[in-house]
Amino acid sequence: MIVKPHRYFSVFVSFLWITLCIGQKGNIKKNIPLDSIRLSDPYILTDIKTQMYYMTGTGGKLWKSKDLKFWEGPYVVAKTNPKSWMGENPMIWAAELHQYKNKYYYFATFTNKNIKIDTVSDNIIDRRASHILVSNTPDGSYIPMKDEIYLPADKPTLDGTFWIDTNNKPYMVYCYEWLQNGNGTIEKIELKPDLSGSVGEGKLLFKASDSPWSKDKNENGNIVAHKVTDGPFLFRTGTNRLGMIWTSWQFDIYVQGVAYSESGTLDGPWIHEKELITPANFGHGMLFKTFEGKTLMAIHSHKKVAERNIRIPHIFEVDLSGDKLVVGKIHKP
């Protein structure tokens, strides 16, 4: 039986707070340069109240910095319910931090490898979904809210991000994974006003195959569209144009492109730029502003070294003043 999170909070949070305090002693590092951190899918929150930058990503742990140059961490901040569908020790991918209506929200992908939801071809698909936790402070702890499920239990979803559309309603924008549907999609679902659950069903925004730059080879060696959608992030340009960066592959190279909505809303239609927006082997980016008001992009590099996949967070300078996002050089704090 799944325990309702709101009935479980008092005992659950007290226990995990004690565990958190014990588990972090002696494990926190200080004055760590950004390029010395190993982290996929970096996401940086600029918090005016604490005058601190908070960074998270895959693995779900938290780093903090005053200057973007040196970082302290990693802190454990996500507190899931072990009796929920996530299980006792879920994998956490692509965590994000969002401030909204005086609270802080933790969007992340949780995977329970003990539950299998489907088998497609040779792919056994684990129970995986985008979900949202909440906290009163940016450094957590982040705990479950009312709804135990935001997205269908029989579909693998990932990389949920946050957007307020022109109708002033909150949405989660997420990927429906190619492992099951054969052609990864990016979709939206409306959220409750306090983000404690979802409303209605997801709606398709576009497919991986809609992009002119995501490419692969089929079993016959012919060039076809790639199947993967990964890491959506929404923004507006200086001319109020709605854009979305997202990541896929060009054969075996990790790449990121951009699409723009012709309607200026999530409903699109979404028109994909022909050229990549960032250098090859960089992907899963997001945009944030510094305390000085400068817009930057957090992103990770993706490469293999001695048969190991190495993923390192970086920060790029960007220009949003015109009609399009222009990515510049790597930022040096």
Side-chain angles (χ1 to χ4, degrees), residues 59-242:
K61 295 182 181 179
L62 187 74
W63 294 81
K64 57 185 180 180
S65 172
K66 287 285 188 182
D67 57 10
L68 297 175
K69 186 175 182 180
F70 295 107
W71 295 81
E72 177 180 312
Y75 293 92
V76 177
V77 294
K79 304 293 121 189
T80 56
N81 180 352
K83 294 186 178 180
S84 74
W85 67 266
M86 298 180 191
E88 294 186 356
N89 187 29
M91 298 172 62
I92 302 177
W93 296 352
E96 298 187 0
L97 303 176
H98 296 271
Q99 185 179 13
Y100 181 63
K101 292 186 176 180
N102 299 317
K103 288 186 179 293
Y104 297 85
Y105 294 90
Y106 182 98
F107 285 59
T109 303
F110 298 90
T111 300
N112 184 344
K113 294 187 71 63
N114 293 321
I115 299 177
K116 311 301 178 184
I117 63 171
D118 202 357
T119 300
V120 179
S121 298
D122 294 328
N123 296 315
I124 299 174
I125 302 171
D126 298 325
R127 176 72 169 97
R128 172 164 48 253
S130 295
H131 202 87
I132 306 172
L133 309 180
V134 67
S135 175
N136 290 321
T137 59
D139 54 355
S141 295
Y142 288 87
I143 57 177
M145 290 185 281
K146 183 178 179 180
D147 282 15
E148 293 166 345
I149 296 174
Y150 281 75
L151 295 163
D154 59 349
K155 293 183 177 180
T157 57
L158 65 157
D159 293 358
T161 191
F162 184 47
W163 188 249
I164 305 295
D165 213 359
T166 54
N167 58 7
N168 292 319
K169 292 182 178 181
Y171 291 87
M172 181 194 293
V173 175
Y174 60 93
C175 300
Y176 173 24
E177 195 169 24
W178 69 273
L179 288 174
Q180 186 178 61
N181 65 18
N183 186 4
T185 63
I186 291 183
E187 306 183 1
K188 72 167 187 175
I189 193 167
E190 184 181 339
L191 298 172
K192 295 179 180 179
D194 63 355
L195 313 191
S196 64
S198 58
V199 178
E201 298 180 351
K203 180 179 179 181
L204 174 68
L205 302 185
F206 59 82
K207 301 177 180 179
S209 59
D210 293 338
S211 163
W213 50 263
S214 58
K215 300 176 183 179
D216 200 4
K217 287 186 178 181
N218 63 18
E219 60 274 12
N220 298 319
N222 298 319
I223 296 176
V224 296
H226 212 286
K227 304 173 183 178
V228 171
T229 49
D230 181 88
F233 180 86
L234 294 130
F235 63 93
R236 287 200 180 272
T237 68
T239 60
N240 205 38
R241 193 180 185 194
L242 178 61

